[in-house]
Amino acid sequence: MIKDLVARIGPIQITSTCGGRHARRSQHYRGKAIDFRPRATSTRAAVAAAKALRNTGGVGSYSNGIVHADVGEHRFSWFGYKRAGRRLAYAARRSR
């Protein structure tokens, strides 16, 4: 997924993989997710490109400009705040 994403949007700075603190049952802990900052495009364009990839599951962006992408089984997207306890907006995506 990372190779396909970089081919579409250019370089990215990966900010999180499987280490650190994540939500319970996060795809990060399974080695199936990254958080990144796009270096050559906008956050909005990076989210759109990640959603367009066939092998992505969850795709979302945070208010600080970081984008989350995973290859989990569930296809969904969100935008919102980084920490739980704050309002998140979720939108289910149709399977392809």
Side-chain angles (χ1 to χ4, degrees):
M1 177 207 37
I2 297 170
K3 183 178 175 182
D4 293 341
L5 183 64
V6 170
R8 286 182 180 236
I9 67 169
I12 62 173
Q13 174 188 9
I14 296 176
T15 60
S16 183
T17 56
C18 54
R21 291 177 38 195
H22 303 285
R24 194 170 24 160
R25 291 184 232 127
S26 169
Q27 294 294 329
H28 286 281
Y29 295 130
R30 296 180 180 120
K32 294 183 176 184
I34 62 166
D35 292 339
F36 68 93
R37 189 176 305 278
R39 303 313 262 162
T41 191
S42 69
T43 300
R44 180 176 282 195
V47 168
K51 285 181 185 180
L53 296 175
R54 297 196 94 175
N55 55 350
T56 55
V59 176
S61 65
Y62 300 104
S63 58
N64 62 1
I66 290 178
V67 178
H68 168 95
D70 69 57
V71 293
E73 299 169 6
H74 303 291
R75 294 184 62 82
F76 62 94
S77 61
W78 74 90
F79 61 93
Y81 296 98
K82 187 171 181 177
R83 295 286 176 225
R86 295 184 179 171
R87 186 168 90 36
L88 292 176
Y90 291 91
R93 296 190 296 152
R94 292 184 204 146
S95 295
R96 294 177 201 238

